[in-house]
Amino acid sequence: MRINVRKDLETINLLQTKTKDEIFTIRCNKLGLTKREIEICELVREGHIYKDIADTLFISERTVNKHMQNIFKKAESNNKFDLLNKITKNVKTA
């Protein structure tokens, strides 16, 4: 119970002192995502498809897919919706 209270206080503090983009990056870092994986997550969050992400980052679509597999594993997610829900939950957009 005490651990949950601490997590709740950390979440409240986080939400009160950071922008939604900062919170997104902090949560990605807590998952252990690499800089490239965070870039890919940001593009996924913006609604880009893997082909567009590949073109934007000058990598193959297959590489994007592999990065996404690694991201899903680290986040313990099965799909993009679940992943983004975990990373952006409780973040109010302006």
Side-chain angles (χ1 to χ4, degrees):
M1 181 69 172
R2 188 175 195 161
I3 293 171
N4 289 337
V5 171
R6 183 175 176 183
K7 281 183 137 182
D8 289 343
L9 291 174
E10 288 174 358
T11 300
I12 290 169
N13 184 43
L14 183 68
L15 295 175
Q16 291 177 341
T17 61
K18 305 291 182 191
T19 68
K20 63 181 177 131
D21 291 334
E22 290 172 325
I23 294 169
F24 182 85
T25 302
I26 289 167
R27 288 183 174 161
C28 287
N29 285 325
K30 282 188 175 187
L31 291 174
L33 302 184
T34 65
K35 184 178 177 181
R36 181 60 104 186
E37 290 169 344
I38 293 172
E39 286 178 304
I40 291 171
C41 277
E42 288 171 345
L43 292 169
V44 167
R45 178 178 66 161
E46 293 172 8
H48 296 277
I49 61 172
Y50 291 0
K51 172 98 174 83
D52 292 341
I53 294 169
D55 292 343
T56 300
L57 299 177
F58 303 103
I59 58 178
S60 73
E61 192 173 345
R62 185 174 176 165
T63 301
V64 173
N65 191 39
K66 183 62 178 167
H67 280 301
M68 286 303 298
Q69 289 174 6
N70 293 335
I71 293 166
F72 289 147
K73 185 175 180 181
K74 290 177 183 180
E76 298 178 355
S77 297
N78 296 319
N79 55 57
K80 289 187 276 187
F81 179 80
D82 185 43
L83 170 70
L84 293 175
N85 189 39
K86 286 181 180 183
I87 297 174
T88 60
K89 68 180 176 187
N90 298 326
V91 177
K92 304 281 190 258
T93 54

